[in-house]
Amino acid sequence: THDAGRGLGVFSHDAGRRRIGEVPVIRVTVRGVPEAQARPRTFFAGGRAITHSPKSEWYKSVYRAGVAVRPAVPMDGPVEFRAIYLFPRPKTVKGFWKQTRPDLDNIDKATLDALSKARWWVDDGRVCKLTSEKRYAGPGEEPGAEIMACIIP
């Protein structure tokens, strides 16, 4: 069985650490239905190639929430990132996990890109450990995401 209210827990390197000098963790809750990152589109106008990368409402929501809690100095080192994406539960579905679109890696891409723009880290290439899941919201939960990130010591 799964505990729908379990939250993100602790980072792997925090296990058993209860001393002064723990690694600061950035946490944010984003409300809304998570969306995948849209693919860039290239078209030609006046003999020139123009590429447009549309930004979803999800991207904009993550960016706004990320700016509100961003660190004073962007993280510059190996980063661990965790996210739980919660989706509205359809009336006819049974189970805990959302096994349909959008693909989890594309939701992560939109989220990481938005947090990069919000200056959580120097570059999203710094994310060395990523743990994420997508599931249906349980009783008392709203669609959105619980997100945490920190430097890996």
Side-chain angles (χ1 to χ4, degrees), residues 122-152:
V122 174
D123 180 81
D124 62 3
R126 298 289 198 269
V127 177
C128 297
K129 185 172 184 180
L130 184 144
T131 306
S132 60
E133 62 184 57
K134 62 178 185 171
R135 63 178 177 83
Y136 294 111
E141 292 181 316
E142 294 181 38
E146 297 293 330
I147 299 168
M148 295 187 341
C150 72
I151 291 285
I152 300 170

Side-chain angles (χ1 to χ4, degrees), residues 86-101 134-139:
L86 302 173
F87 289 84
R89 178 180 292 281
K91 293 184 191 303
T92 59
V93 76
K94 293 181 181 176
F96 182 79
W97 301 107
K98 179 168 174 51
Q99 300 175 50
T100 58
R101 293 187 185 274
K134 62 178 185 171
R135 63 178 177 83
Y136 294 111

Side-chain angles (χ1 to χ4, degrees):
T1 66
H2 297 283
D3 177 7
R6 67 185 167 177
L8 289 167
V10 297
F11 286 98
S12 58
H13 56 267
D14 288 339
R17 292 177 69 181
R18 300 287 182 256
R19 55 191 155 104
I20 297 174
E22 287 188 10
V23 176
V25 176
I26 304 169
R27 299 172 190 258
V28 69
T29 300
V30 181
R31 295 290 170 230
V33 179
E35 296 178 67
Q37 178 76 21
R39 300 282 182 229
R41 304 287 180 220
T42 301
F43 58 94
F44 294 92
R48 296 174 54 168
I50 299 172
T51 301
H52 173 65
S53 296
K55 304 300 181 203
S56 67
E57 284 305 312
W58 175 251
Y59 175 97
K60 294 171 188 173
S61 295
V62 172
Y63 172 76
R64 285 190 300 269
V67 165
V69 298
R70 70 179 162 202
V73 176
M75 290 183 271
D76 189 8
V79 173
E80 182 171 354
F81 175 85
R82 288 191 179 198
I84 297 175
Y85 303 107
L86 302 173
F87 289 84
R89 178 180 292 281
K91 293 184 191 303
T92 59
V93 76
K94 293 181 181 176
F96 182 79
W97 301 107
K98 179 168 174 51
Q99 300 175 50
T100 58
R101 293 187 185 274
D103 294 350
L104 183 58
D105 61 326
N106 292 328
I107 303 167
D108 283 334
K109 176 75 173 136
T111 303
L112 292 170
D113 285 352
L115 294 175
S116 291
K117 185 177 178 190
R119 305 288 295 151
W120 273 32
W121 37 69
V122 174
D123 180 81
D124 62 3
R126 298 289 198 269
V127 177
C128 297
K129 185 172 184 180
L130 184 144
T131 306
S132 60
E133 62 184 57
K134 62 178 185 171
R135 63 178 177 83
Y136 294 111
E141 292 181 316
E142 294 181 38
E146 297 293 330
I147 299 168
M148 295 187 341
C150 72
I151 291 285
I152 300 170

